[in-house]
């Protein structure tokens, strides 16, 4: 989807996803080698290194359009999370947790508190999902790039907030989007349009609702565009623009079939149901 930069005018809204699909950009680093996959620690958690505020400020920001090799690919399906906010920018650590590789900003690209989703606690560390890419599809070869990334954050840098009670499940086979509660009961189900064979919606992965906003210029009317932390694993820029290949859930007149550039197309009722869920809600694609 097409983007329109949010910082061109005070209070302007970032326009990212157009009704046709999804968009990409790359904050390219010189090192795009694959990082180690996420693994559950088998030994005692390492001590948290001291990183002062000045050092954190110099780290690359793990925002929606960034590509940061030190992040970890995350390909698990998880069903519960803990949601946090940040009192200040926080360092992100890779698999070895010996040095920071990036930072999460306390405010996101809409100048609102950054929603941080934790999926595992290990001593003084929390494993969180990040909104950035670890590698571009063009650099990943035939294996494809990870659609979701994760990193370790010191627990002391996090402030817990309300945790969602439901999650979203997207079925690319059935072409549906469901709202599922903690007990696994489907509360609502809607038809959905998904990615084509060339620009598929990534599957077997869990991300989260990162942010939302309204932008009629993108062809989605007054229906809020729902951004997830997931990215295209097949193409750097499946559509056009500068948004890191984000996968979004948004309104479109066509809500069935393999019709998009990776985003998920919904009718008005479905968008309203997703919009009623809090940021940080898990999004699993099957």
């Amino acid at each position: 989807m097409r983007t329109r930069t949010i910082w061109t005018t005070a209070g302007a809204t970032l326009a990212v996803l157009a009704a046709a699909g999804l968009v990409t950009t790359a904050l390219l680093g010189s090192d795009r080698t694959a990082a180690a996959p996420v693994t559950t620690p088998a030994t005692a958690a390492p001590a948290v290194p001291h990183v002062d505020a000045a050092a954190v400020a110099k780290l690359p920001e793990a925002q929606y359009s960034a590509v940061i090799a030190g992040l970890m690919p995350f390909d698990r399906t998880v069903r519960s999370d803990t949601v946090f906010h940040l009192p200040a920018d926080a360092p992100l650590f890779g698999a070895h947790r010996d040095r920071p590789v990036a930072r999460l900003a306390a405010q996101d690209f809409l100048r609102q508190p950054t929603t941080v989703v934790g999926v595992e606690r290990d001593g003084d560390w929390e494993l969180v999902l990040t909104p950035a890419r670890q590698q571009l599809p063009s650099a990943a070869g035939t294996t494809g790039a990870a659609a979701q990334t994760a990193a370790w954050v010191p627990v002391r840098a996090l402030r817990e907030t309300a945790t969602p009670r439901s999650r979203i499940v997207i079925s690319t086979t059935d072409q549906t989007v469901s709202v599922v509660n903690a007990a696994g009961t489907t509360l609502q189900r809607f038809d959905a349009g998904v990615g084509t064979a060339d620009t598929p919606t990534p599957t077997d992965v869990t991300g989260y609702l990162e942010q939302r906003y309204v932008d009629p210029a993108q062809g989605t009317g007054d229906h809020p565009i729902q951004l997830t932390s997931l990215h295209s694993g097949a193409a750097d820029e499946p559509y056009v623009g500068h948004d890191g290949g984000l996968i979004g859930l948004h309104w479109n007149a066509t809500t069935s079939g393999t019709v998009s550039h990776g985003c998920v197309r919904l009718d008005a009722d479905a968008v309203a149901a997703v919009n009623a869920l809090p940021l940080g809600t898990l999004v699993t694609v099957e």
Side-chain angles (χ1 to χ4, degrees):
M1 291 183 172
R2 183 163 43 88
T3 62
R4 189 176 59 207
T5 308
I6 62 175
W7 38 86
T8 54
T9 59
T13 303
L14 175 69
V16 279
L17 302 176
L22 80 163
V23 292
T24 60
T25 188
L27 177 60
L28 300 179
S30 58
D31 179 8
R32 294 183 187 163
T33 56
V38 175
T39 56
T40 301
T43 59
V48 176
H50 173 71
V51 185
D52 61 32
V56 171
K58 295 178 181 178
L59 295 167
E61 182 184 349
Q63 50 119 333
Y64 66 92
S65 61
V67 180
I68 300 172
L71 299 176
M72 298 176 288
F74 187 87
D75 58 1
R76 297 191 218 161
T77 296
V78 294
R79 293 178 172 81
S80 62
D81 62 344
T82 305
V83 178
F84 304 93
H85 287 157
L86 302 169
D89 290 7
L92 293 174
F93 291 76
H96 299 297
R97 288 180 267 182
D98 55 350
R99 61 182 180 84
V101 298
R103 64 182 171 90
L104 276 179
Q107 291 189 325
D108 65 20
F109 60 89
L110 290 183
R111 306 298 186 258
Q112 297 178 8
T114 295
T115 298
V116 182
V117 171
V119 293
E120 181 182 325
R121 180 66 58 89
D122 183 32
D124 294 328
W125 298 90
E126 182 78 18
L127 184 68
V128 304
L129 304 182
T130 90
R133 274 175 160 172
Q134 182 264 336
Q135 189 179 34
L136 289 174
S138 60
T142 58
T143 60
Q148 178 62 54
T149 63
W152 291 101
V153 176
V155 173
R156 66 191 180 213
L158 302 169
R159 298 293 181 269
E160 188 170 342
T161 185
T163 291
R165 297 181 179 179
S166 300
R167 57 192 175 93
I168 298 168
V169 177
I170 300 167
S171 172
T172 56
T173 301
D174 297 337
Q175 296 172 11
T176 58
V177 168
S178 301
V179 178
V180 179
N181 68 14
T185 301
T186 298
L187 305 178
Q188 297 171 287
R189 177 175 288 143
F190 304 93
D191 292 336
V194 297
T196 67
D198 291 334
T199 55
T201 304
T203 58
D204 302 318
V205 66
T206 295
Y208 63 95
L209 286 181
E210 176 186 353
Q211 191 48 276
R212 52 174 59 105
Y213 61 91
V214 175
D215 182 16
Q218 297 301 310
T220 53
D222 59 356
H223 307 288
I225 298 169
Q226 312 287 322
L227 301 184
T228 78
S229 60
L230 298 168
H231 296 75
S232 172
D236 296 354
E237 295 191 9
Y239 188 56
V240 294
H242 305 281
D243 276 335
L246 281 176
I247 301 297
L249 291 78
H250 63 84
W251 180 87
N252 191 273
T254 302
T255 59
S256 64
T258 53
V259 291
S260 79
H261 292 83
C263 288
V264 179
R265 299 181 177 184
L266 303 174
D267 65 18
D269 290 341
V271 171
V274 175
N275 195 60
L277 301 173
L279 297 181
T281 296
L282 293 176
V283 178
T284 296
V285 190
E286 300 175 340

